[in-house]
Amino acid sequence: MLSHSLSPEQTKTNVFYLRPLSKPKENIWYTAQPIGINTLAATVGKMCTEAGLGGFRSNHSLRATAATRLYECGVDEQIISEVTGHRSDAVREYKRTSETMRRDACGIIRENKNKTTPRKIHDRKSVNGLVIKADNKHFNKWALVKKDVCRVDNDLSWVIDNHYPSEAWFEPTPNSTREDDGVLMTHVFDGIKKESYLVLINATSMQTISKGILPTTMPFSFHGRFFQNDSI
């Protein structure tokens, strides 16, 4: 863990939280002493007070908030209990109905189809983004990633060493019902050949469809934008 890699070598404790040094050194940020249980217990309450949040807040508030938010997004009770560590029946104490959900219930009774509840989390299974230092070590590894928000073992990425993409723009396949059925497009700077190219990537598999060398070098950036011909 990070705290252990930056703590004194002579430390014999295996606790997660160590006391930080008031004046950190280059390779040592922590002492060998664990943070006291009373200090840890007051952490969230202190942060909320400093942020100007009223009411009683504790570390347990984070757990309760997580369970409530998951419930509001329509996540199944069993999955909520797995995330929060509750017993399957105990998590029901945190299923607090919001005003929006109550309005929706009234609308259903009145046969009003206009729901205001946010879309359930499982309606969208993945998100796309740009990651710098994809291996968490080298700056020359920039990746376009497809993050599965439902599973931890199903992420995909497009990455070529020394190639620097900008944020990709998603263009969906017309009339498709699949959220990832379409093309990701962006410009990439080839750090080896010192040239830029436009690349089209299959948004489902994250594999290259085709690419074309651009007539001029384009600087890479964190954000991209696609404009159709009729909007230019």
Side-chain angles (χ1 to χ4, degrees):
M1 294 182 181
L2 178 62
S3 60
H4 285 245
S5 64
L6 296 173
S7 61
E9 294 181 0
Q10 66 272 22
T11 182
K12 296 182 180 180
T13 181
N14 61 354
V15 297
F16 188 81
Y17 297 105
L18 298 175
R19 290 183 179 276
L21 290 170
S22 57
K23 295 182 179 180
K25 301 177 183 178
E26 181 177 357
N27 297 320
I28 302 296
W29 293 3
Y30 303 92
T31 70
Q33 301 298 320
I35 296 179
I37 187 173
N38 292 332
T39 300
L40 287 174
T43 298
V44 171
K46 181 179 179 182
M47 293 173 63
C48 290
T49 298
E50 292 177 351
L53 299 178
F56 175 76
R57 312 285 179 177
S58 67
N59 295 352
H60 184 70
S61 301
L62 299 179
R63 192 184 191 194
T65 299
T68 302
R69 291 294 301 277
L70 291 172
Y71 166 61
E72 290 177 347
C73 288
V75 177
D76 184 79
E77 185 176 295
Q78 180 178 346
I79 297 177
I80 297 176
S81 64
E82 291 176 0
V83 172
T84 62
H86 286 96
R87 299 188 308 276
S88 60
D89 55 343
V91 74
R92 295 173 186 171
E93 298 179 11
Y94 304 101
K95 294 170 69 171
R96 297 157 184 166
T97 306
S98 66
E99 180 61 31
T100 300
M101 297 173 76
R102 286 193 289 271
R103 286 200 301 268
D104 283 344
C106 293
I108 292 172
I109 294 173
R110 295 194 305 268
E111 296 184 357
N112 182 353
K113 304 300 183 180
N114 297 322
K115 292 185 63 179
T116 56
T117 302
R119 183 175 59 183
K120 291 185 178 181
I121 192 170
H122 55 68
D123 283 347
R124 182 157 185 85
K125 298 180 176 62
S126 63
V127 293
N128 295 99
L130 173 65
V131 174
I132 299 175
K133 295 173 66 175
D135 62 352
N136 206 29
K137 294 180 181 180
H138 304 99
F139 186 79
N140 69 333
K141 292 183 181 293
W142 285 36
L144 295 172
V145 299
K146 178 183 178 183
K147 176 66 179 176
D148 192 316
V149 299
C150 301
R151 293 172 50 185
V152 298
D153 60 345
N154 199 38
D155 297 344
L156 297 175
S157 65
W158 182 95
V159 57
I160 302 175
D161 288 359
N162 300 302
H163 285 225
Y164 305 93
S166 294
E167 181 182 51
W169 184 263
F170 176 69
E171 187 67 17
T173 299
N175 303 319
S176 176
T177 58
R178 266 201 354 258
E179 67 175 36
D180 62 349
D181 186 5
V183 175
L184 291 171
M185 61 181 74
T186 188
H187 66 273
V188 183
F189 177 71
D190 185 335
I192 302 299
K193 296 183 179 180
K194 303 297 189 295
E195 63 184 15
S196 297
Y197 61 89
L198 174 70
V199 64
L200 303 182
I201 301 170
N202 185 309
T204 302
S205 64
M206 295 301 290
Q207 298 296 312
T208 300
I209 298 174
S210 65
K211 71 175 185 178
I213 305 301
L214 297 175
T216 184
T217 299
M218 295 185 63
F220 54 87
S221 63
F222 297 118
H223 299 289
R225 183 76 192 200
F226 171 71
F227 297 93
Q228 295 182 348
N229 288 337
D230 56 4
S231 63
I232 297 178

